[in-house]
Structure formats: C-alpha cells, structure tokens
Amino acid sequence: MSLKTTEAKLYYALYDFFEAEGFRLLMDKKQFRKNTPAGFTNIIFSVSEYEKENDAWIEVHIGCRNDQVEQIAQQFLNANLVDFRSDVNTIIISTGKYNDVNYFRYKIQNDEDLTDACESIKEFMQLSGFGFLASITHVGDIDRILNLMPQKSSKYLYNQVHRCFKGIVAAKLNNSPQFDRLIEIYRSYLSKFGNDVERANYDRLVAYLKYYGNN
C-alpha cells in the first residue's frame, strides 16, 4: 500500500470509534480532535515509509492544548510559525513513550497488519488513552504534569526548553505556591541547555508573569 492509501484506510477504520467518543477527523492535520472548554485533546498519526516500497510505519501521539497557556507562552517562543500557533499542543506524548516503550511504531505491510494496528490503538485508548486525555483538560492538570518533578526531563513534551516556558506559565495560572522556586529551576536549566535568545525570552516571560493578573 502507498502511504496515502495506508493513511486513508487508517482514518476510515478508526473514524466511527473516535467519533463515538466525540472526536472529529481533521485529515489535513492528521489527527482526531475533541474540543474542550480550555482548548482541545487530540490523537495524532504519523505515517512514514518503511524500508520496503509500499510498506509503512504508523506512530501515534496523544495530547492536549490549553489555550490560556499557549496564548502566553507562544509570545515568548520563536520556534513556531504564527500560522501554526493555534494548533500547537501543550502536552504531547507517543503511545509507546506513554507505556515506557521508546520508539514504538506499528509496521504495516498489508491490510491484516493495518487491522491489527487499529485494534491495538483502540485497546490502548479504551484502557489508558481516553482516561489520560480526560485528566489533562484544566490548567491545574498542566501544572501538575509539567511541574511535579521540575529537575527531571518531562516525557510529556519533546522540547524541554518549551517545557520550561509552558511549565512556568501553567504554574502562574494555577497560582502554584512553587512558582518562585520553579522560576529558578527552569532558569538554571536554560543556563545550561538554552541559547542566548531563549534565556532572554525566558527572563522577559518571568517579568511579564510577575505582573500578570489572572482574571
């Protein structure tokens, strides 16, 4: 199967399953998405070419967007183009990494493989995925996930510099008593792993947050 055929069959096979849970297919964004009062939760599919012609890998990510966090954080992050900022996830993790199996993907060589992959995806969502997505719809959830262990890398974001920005925004919005402590922890991380622009933008963000009133 070609990559486009694999994608089309994948979305067709999963359409009714996700629609029943309130998710709509956004084929151009390669995901199923469900709006929440704070933003959205989503399941994103990445279909890539395998070694053999017409074979494919499928990788699945789940996550959420919190509009309030992103509207602040994106003003101080240079990595995302303005046109794509409304689609940026606040939290995103692959199903493999969620289960502590790094680099897990489904190998698709024929229709039987695709059917098995879809059944596995459905099982994961029913056992873990939908529950996880329901648990990350509020800013307090973002604060908890990103800031519970601030000295360690978070598996819920691939870019740890972005974690510093989003984590400190979530802490402020959630009125976290750890806000001042987190400022210094993330500043220390950026002093080691960030560049000059990122460190300057972080200091600008912190100055902004200290005078920010969450109405």
Side-chain angles (χ1 to χ4, degrees):
M1 290 186 290
S2 68
L3 294 186
K4 287 187 177 180
T5 300
T6 301
E7 278 191 329
K9 288 186 174 184
L10 173 70
Y11 298 143
Y12 180 80
L14 294 174
Y15 184 88
D16 289 342
F17 173 76
F18 283 111
E19 184 182 48
E21 298 291 336
F23 290 81
R24 60 191 178 99
L25 174 62
L26 301 179
M27 189 172 290
D28 59 323
K29 303 182 189 298
K30 303 182 185 301
Q31 64 185 261
F32 288 90
R33 180 183 293 185
K34 182 177 183 178
N35 290 333
T36 69
F40 59 72
T41 56
N42 57 356
I43 302 94
I44 305 170
F45 298 88
S46 174
V47 181
S48 56
E49 190 174 28
Y50 182 52
E51 296 170 356
K52 296 181 180 179
E53 185 177 358
N54 294 329
D55 292 349
W57 290 113
I58 295 176
E59 189 170 22
V60 185
H61 292 79
I62 59 176
C64 75
R65 174 188 174 86
N66 183 284
D67 285 334
Q68 198 174 13
V69 171
E70 294 302 326
Q71 285 167 0
I72 296 175
Q74 291 299 323
Q75 297 179 58
F76 300 89
L77 291 170
N78 296 322
N80 300 308
L81 297 175
V82 174
D83 290 346
F84 297 100
R85 285 183 178 178
S86 61
D87 292 313
V88 172
N89 274 55
T90 306
I91 286 174
I92 185 168
I93 185 172
S94 70
T95 57
K97 199 168 187 179
Y98 182 91
N99 288 322
D100 295 319
V101 182
N102 288 330
Y103 311 114
F104 174 79
R105 296 175 293 178
Y106 299 98
K107 184 169 70 174
I108 309 299
Q109 296 179 294
N110 50 50
D111 285 336
E112 184 178 356
D113 289 341
L114 185 61
T115 297
D116 289 344
C118 288
E119 290 305 310
S120 179
I121 292 167
K122 291 177 184 179
E123 182 179 31
F124 168 80
M125 293 305 302
Q126 289 171 330
L127 293 177
S128 303
F130 288 133
F132 173 70
L133 294 180
S135 75
I136 55 174
T137 59
H138 303 290
V139 70
D141 304 324
I142 308 298
D143 180 22
R144 169 178 53 83
I145 287 176
L146 294 184
N147 297 323
L148 182 62
M149 294 185 289
Q151 293 94 341
K152 296 184 178 181
S153 295
S154 172
K155 71 177 186 178
Y156 297 100
L157 268 180
Y158 289 98
N159 189 318
Q160 297 303 308
V161 168
H162 287 200
R163 182 269 191 96
C164 296
F165 284 73
K166 297 182 184 191
I168 201 63
V169 172
K172 175 64 177 182
L173 295 177
N174 196 42
N175 296 315
S176 170
Q178 301 297 317
F179 177 67
D180 290 332
R181 172 174 169 265
L182 290 169
I183 287 174
E184 297 310 318
I185 291 173
Y186 292 143
R187 179 175 282 132
S188 176
Y189 178 90
L190 291 170
S191 71
K192 296 177 182 177
F193 302 107
N195 58 43
D196 290 343
V197 172
E198 290 163 343
R199 286 189 285 270
N201 283 346
Y202 180 77
D203 287 339
R204 287 175 52 235
L205 171 61
V206 168
Y208 172 82
L209 292 175
K210 286 184 174 180
Y211 294 97
Y212 177 83
N214 185 19
N215 296 323

